[in-house]
Amino acid sequence: LGEAFFDGGGKEFTLADYRGKGVVLNFWATWCFPCVLEMPALDSLQVKISGGGVEVLTVSLNRGGGADVEKFYRKNRIANLPILIDRGEALTSGLGVTGLPTTVLIDAEGKEIGRVVGAAEWDEPKIVAFVRGCLAPARTPKT
């Protein structure tokens, strides 16, 4: 998928930039109550899977852009997630996301392997293990 999304400073990204890594791609907004409730769990998940070849990307649909997200992160002590914005909702539309929160699980080859519509406890041990097992890139055995 080539639809662009942007960081808080306006730098453009696409999902192709994350090829070779698993991605937990969450769509959310500060005005979405279930989204707000699940953000601490996504922040915690990022810490728990750090270095394992999986990234948690939380893409905001806030019209106020990076400033809204930055303010929300500060207020709610979200420290481990990038500030990402889907300007014009191109990525949201491209992936067929119709409600918030929605989380799309993408493997290291860039294929969607599942999605969760609604909030989830992303930092629960069983979910962390599932994310690692399903999304982490395959390791080639050393000879």
Side-chain angles (χ1 to χ4, degrees):
L1 283 165
E3 291 88 354
F5 54 99
F6 302 85
D7 71 8
K11 183 178 178 189
E12 184 175 309
F13 295 90
T14 68
L15 290 176
D17 294 321
Y18 295 90
R19 195 124 208 177
K21 293 183 177 188
V23 175
V24 176
L25 180 63
N26 176 268
F27 293 92
W28 74 288
T30 60
W31 44 261
C32 164
F33 185 68
C35 301
V36 169
L37 291 178
E38 93 175 332
M39 289 303 285
L42 287 160
D43 192 51
S44 177
L45 174 65
Q46 178 59 48
V47 172
K48 292 178 180 187
I49 62 172
S50 179
V54 181
E55 293 287 330
V56 178
L57 305 179
T58 49
V59 179
S60 171
L61 275 62
N62 278 67
R63 287 196 169 80
D68 283 358
V69 176
E70 187 176 343
K71 181 178 172 185
F72 173 86
Y73 279 12
R74 261 196 326 272
K75 179 181 174 190
N76 293 282
R77 296 186 177 103
I78 304 297
N80 303 292
L81 298 173
I83 294 174
L84 300 171
I85 309 297
D86 188 7
R87 291 187 200 153
E89 300 181 18
L91 184 60
T92 307
S93 297
L95 287 171
V97 172
T98 57
L100 297 178
T102 294
T103 305
V104 181
L105 304 174
I106 301 168
D107 70 12
E109 295 176 9
K111 292 185 229 150
E112 179 179 335
I113 62 161
R115 66 176 57 199
V116 176
V117 178
E121 291 294 329
W122 290 104
D123 57 349
E124 289 294 317
K126 286 182 181 179
I127 293 178
V128 173
F130 174 81
V131 167
R132 273 195 195 113
C134 292
L135 300 182
R139 301 218 191 289
T140 308
K142 293 181 181 175
T143 54

